[in-house]
Amino acid sequence: MYRMKTRVLIFLFMLCYLSLGAQIRLEGYRQTDINPELLTGRWKAHWISMPGEPANVYGVYHMRKTFELDEVPSRFIVHVTADNRYKLYLNGRFVSLGPARGDIYNWNFETVDLAPYLIKGKNVLAAVIWNYAEQKPVAQISFNQTGFLLQGNTEVETVVNTDASWLCMKNEAYAPWHKPVLGYYVAGPGELLSASKYPWGWEQSAYDDSKWLPAHTGIEGGVKGSRDYPGRLLVPCPIPPMDLLSERFEAVRISEGVKIPAGFLKTKTSLTVPANSKVHLLLDNGKLTTGYLSLLFSRGKNAEITIAYAEALYEGKEQGTTKSYSLPAKGNRDEVEGKRFIGYEDKVIADGGEGRDFTTLWWRTWRYVDLTISTADEPLVLEDVYGTFSAYPFRCEIAFSAPGHDELNKMLEIGWRTARLCANETYMDCPYYEQLQYFGDTRIQAMITLYNTHDAYMVKNAIEQGRQSVVADGITMSRYPSSLHQFISSFSLWWICMGHDYWMYRGDEAYMKTLLPAYRGVLSWYEQWLKRDHSLGYVPHWFFADWAAGFQSGEPVREKDGNSAFQDLVYI
């Protein structure tokens, strides 16, 4: 009887423990479309890459799969991911990009229904995959192996599973392009594109891929929870796809070396840059934005096109270093006269061909775009310049009115735009410089989401990524995803507070219970610094509060033995 009671107690304890700590993945945004068999064990599709290429070098690669259909199905669902990133096309039409940022123990895959893009007969899937390798953004985590993976949802879709039947080529047109900017910039390199080496039309069905090579086949895909799986642990993407909305510049603020035709920027209007000349244009979007810049051009063989991006122009003479927090003033951001443009760049070298379309692989941040074109012996025709706005698909669902106080309505509009620009696949402290999800900043951003939207995905994803960042000591990293570890001990406490905010406004107690072991771990880590009077001693790591006057490195004043009202109050 004693043994039976003991076993029952152990069993009940295990049930309680599992209810608190058994969470291994968030539910996918398109969970109901995923074949449950694919959420256990290994997939039939294999990770593929360019044969003969080193595993982890900077590179841009294209992959294609041709397949035949006797009829178009009503649904054709696939699951797709890559390392570092991919863009996927079907019969020349863009269908998906990703994967949403995570880590190798939580590697997101997107679920896409290809049926609307299929045709009877020949179909071509085409993907561009790129690996920034050692030059990757700090927010980008990698398995340090270039790879692409696509898995059909059922037996019907397995015809497109990635294996050696996919063809691939390396795009030699790309190289990283670096232009130092003022401040702490860790969002990745720009792009140098030599148009003469680019395989124009690679995503179209009619493109001739007969000289491409069969893909190198690596390990099969495996979901998180698979037995003895040494690769990236796949999880369904827990957030929706980003918004992709066409956006036009408002004005040309500076024009040197060419006359601007009527309608330029507002519509697709050509501007011809004469041979052997240099043109400088400062384009104004009217407001800060995040997205993909596209530049359409023809002719102009050997012309060099430099595209630079900035939030605003700087006042005065250049000073400080690229990592200095003491930067020149920007002043009124509407003003450009007499100011200096400093920003990161992309660069294109034209090949003289017709209908060229340069679109950045990764998104950029800008209000102003500084466009410099230097032509050689042939005129260049700039056919169009525009942006595609990209951000998390928040929808503001609150109303606010302050009759007689228009400035308050304007402030809310500005604040909401800021919230949108600081959220892409994760929340981020700033879209221009870092693109990192700091949990102190993120708590405020999550509150904005909870107050202004009914979104059920973004806050929960941020909380989960905090859990994913917890190290053996028991605390979170200050920011995550991040390939460069950093610890701000106060941010582990704000991460707990963010969970409490979520519980207050969304409930979801079953999920919140799974977080309790991690929360207890953080608090246990703090307990080791408690003094006899139960105030905190000198807590290690960076105890950041804010960039306030008198706070060196953002830390409030603390005595040698740790006495700090701020430190104690945050802990309490």
Side-chain angles (χ1 to χ4, degrees):
M1 180 63 70
Y2 175 79
R3 288 182 178 178
M4 179 61 71
K5 287 182 178 178
T6 301
R7 288 172 182 170
V8 170
L9 288 171
I10 291 172
F11 177 71
L12 291 173
F13 172 79
M14 290 178 66
L15 283 180
C16 292
Y17 176 79
L18 288 172
S19 70
L20 296 179
Q23 184 81 16
I24 66 166
R25 69 170 80 95
L26 291 180
E27 186 174 272
Y29 175 72
R30 298 194 61 173
Q31 185 81 15
T32 57
D33 289 331
I34 303 173
N35 182 346
E37 294 180 4
L38 296 177
L39 295 177
T40 60
R42 301 193 182 193
W43 290 0
K44 294 181 179 179
H46 289 252
W47 285 91
I48 60 174
S49 58
M50 184 73 196
E53 186 77 355
N56 190 41
V57 293
Y58 177 95
V60 180
Y61 310 89
H62 299 285
M63 298 183 180
R64 284 167 57 98
K65 169 70 176 182
T66 301
F67 60 103
E68 299 276 343
L69 291 176
D70 294 331
E71 57 183 27
V72 176
S74 59
R75 283 160 62 90
F76 197 92
I77 293 173
V78 299
H79 313 290
V80 57
T81 188
D83 189 349
N84 301 156
R85 306 282 310 180
Y86 76 87
K87 292 182 183 178
L88 183 66
Y89 299 80
L90 177 56
N91 298 326
R93 298 173 65 184
F94 170 80
V95 295
S96 180
L97 61 79
R101 280 177 171 163
D103 61 30
I104 62 173
Y105 310 114
N106 303 274
W107 197 272
N108 288 310
F109 64 85
E110 278 72 38
T111 296
V112 187
D113 186 0
L114 299 180
Y117 312 96
L118 292 169
I119 59 175
K120 186 177 180 179
K122 176 185 174 183
N123 290 267
V124 177
L125 270 172
V128 56
I129 300 96
W130 63 97
N131 183 357
Y132 290 116
E134 297 305 317
Q135 303 182 63
K136 64 182 179 292
V138 168
Q140 179 68 56
I141 293 177
S142 174
F143 197 61
N144 296 327
Q145 294 179 10
T146 304
F148 178 63
L149 178 71
L150 188 145
Q151 169 69 51
N153 195 51
T154 67
E155 192 64 32
V156 173
E157 297 99 342
T158 57
V159 65
V160 296
N161 283 3
T162 43
D163 55 25
S165 68
W166 279 70
L167 301 177
C168 61
M169 64 92 68
K170 182 176 182 179
N171 191 337
E172 300 285 358
Y174 282 96
W177 184 251
H178 298 278
K179 175 66 181 294
V181 299
L182 300 179
Y184 178 58
Y185 178 81
V186 290
E191 299 164 19
L192 170 61
L193 183 112
S194 298
S196 61
K197 300 177 182 178
Y198 193 91
W200 299 103
W202 63 269
E203 75 279 21
Q204 302 297 326
S205 298
Y207 181 84
D208 180 9
D209 59 13
S210 60
K211 295 183 179 180
W212 289 24
L213 299 175
H216 169 74
T217 302
I219 191 173
E220 66 268 34
V223 295
K224 187 173 184 178
S226 299
R227 181 176 64 249
D228 194 27
Y229 182 74
R232 308 166 187 84
L233 305 184
L234 299 172
V235 295
C237 184
I239 58 174
M242 300 302 103
D243 274 342
L244 293 171
L245 306 169
S246 182
E247 188 171 54
R248 287 278 171 184
F249 286 92
E250 285 195 359
V252 178
R253 298 294 297 276
I254 295 175
S255 172
E256 298 172 347
V258 71
K259 183 178 180 180
I260 304 300
F264 182 66
L265 296 182
K266 297 294 185 182
T267 60
K268 186 177 181 180
T269 303
S270 295
L271 181 155
T272 299
V273 180
N276 300 303
S277 65
K278 185 173 183 177
V279 165
H280 172 226
L281 305 175
L282 181 65
L283 312 183
D284 186 355
N285 195 62
K287 58 183 180 295
L288 195 69
T289 192
T290 54
Y292 299 87
L293 186 128
S294 293
L295 189 147
L296 280 60
F297 61 96
S298 294
R299 304 181 66 197
K301 187 174 182 178
N302 296 324
E304 295 187 359
I305 308 167
T306 301
I307 310 158
Y309 309 84
E311 298 176 305
L313 277 62
Y314 289 94
E315 296 177 337
K317 296 181 179 180
E318 188 169 352
Q319 56 183 285
T321 66
T322 57
K323 292 188 178 181
S324 171
Y325 286 102
S326 179
L327 302 176
K330 294 180 178 178
N332 186 332
R333 298 191 179 207
D334 291 338
E335 296 174 354
V336 300
E337 296 297 331
K339 289 187 171 183
R340 296 178 297 113
F341 189 103
I342 302 172
Y344 59 75
E345 297 179 348
D346 296 309
K347 187 173 182 178
V348 179
I349 302 174
D351 65 338
E354 297 291 331
R356 301 314 194 208
D357 181 351
F358 169 76
T359 300
T360 55
L361 293 172
W362 184 240
W363 54 268
R364 310 289 188 230
T365 303
W366 72 87
R367 171 175 173 177
Y368 295 101
V369 167
D370 200 56
L371 196 61
T372 304
I373 303 173
S374 298
T375 56
D377 295 334
E378 183 180 33
L380 181 134
V381 181
L382 184 58
E383 297 173 349
D384 204 359
V385 185
Y386 64 92
T388 300
F389 171 74
S390 178
Y392 186 88
F394 283 130
R395 299 293 178 265
C396 188
E397 299 174 89
I398 60 99
F400 175 83
S401 178
H405 297 278
D406 291 342
E407 72 281 4
L408 298 182
N409 297 305
K410 190 69 175 177
M411 286 172 68
L412 183 64
E413 176 190 336
I414 294 168
W416 179 248
R417 183 184 304 123
T418 301
R420 292 222 59 198
L421 298 180
C422 291
N424 198 272
E425 293 166 357
T426 67
Y427 292 109
M428 51 188 63
D429 65 320
C430 59
Y432 186 92
Y433 290 95
E434 297 187 45
Q435 300 177 7
L436 285 161
Q437 183 171 246
Y438 287 86
F439 295 116
D441 309 57
T442 296
R443 188 199 178 192
I444 301 169
Q445 294 168 285
M447 281 183 168
I448 294 169
T449 300
L450 294 170
Y451 294 155
N452 292 275
T453 82
H454 286 103
D455 184 81
Y457 305 103
M458 191 63 163
V459 178
K460 194 170 180 178
N461 186 53
I463 293 171
E464 186 67 17
Q465 289 180 323
R467 186 217 306 256
Q468 292 163 8
S469 79
V470 172
V471 296
D473 288 353
I475 58 171
T476 68
M477 294 189 197
S478 65
R479 59 197 188 190
Y480 207 74
S482 173
S483 60
L484 182 64
H485 64 265
Q486 182 194 77
F487 296 95
I488 300 177
S489 44
S490 56
F491 280 17
S492 291
L493 298 175
W494 291 134
W495 174 67
I496 296 177
C497 293
M498 182 165 60
H500 183 262
D501 298 336
Y502 177 75
W503 173 66
M504 291 288 288
Y505 285 90
R506 293 288 191 268
D508 202 358
E509 292 190 1
Y511 172 67
M512 295 308 300
K513 286 180 180 179
T514 72
L515 292 161
L516 293 180
Y519 289 165
R520 291 172 184 144
V522 171
L523 296 177
S524 294
W525 183 86
Y526 267 91
E527 285 174 7
Q528 66 185 308
W529 311 111
L530 286 174
K531 297 185 292 186
R532 287 188 176 183
D533 64 359
H534 300 289
S535 67
L536 286 167
Y538 199 92
V539 176
H541 298 300
W542 187 4
F543 209 88
F544 180 87
D546 208 341
W547 296 112
F551 283 17
Q552 185 176 358
S553 298
E555 291 187 328
V557 175
R558 284 191 289 176
E559 297 177 0
K560 288 183 178 180
D561 64 354
N563 290 335
S564 164
F566 174 80
Q567 182 176 265
D568 287 344
L569 287 170
V570 175
Y571 176 64
I572 289 170

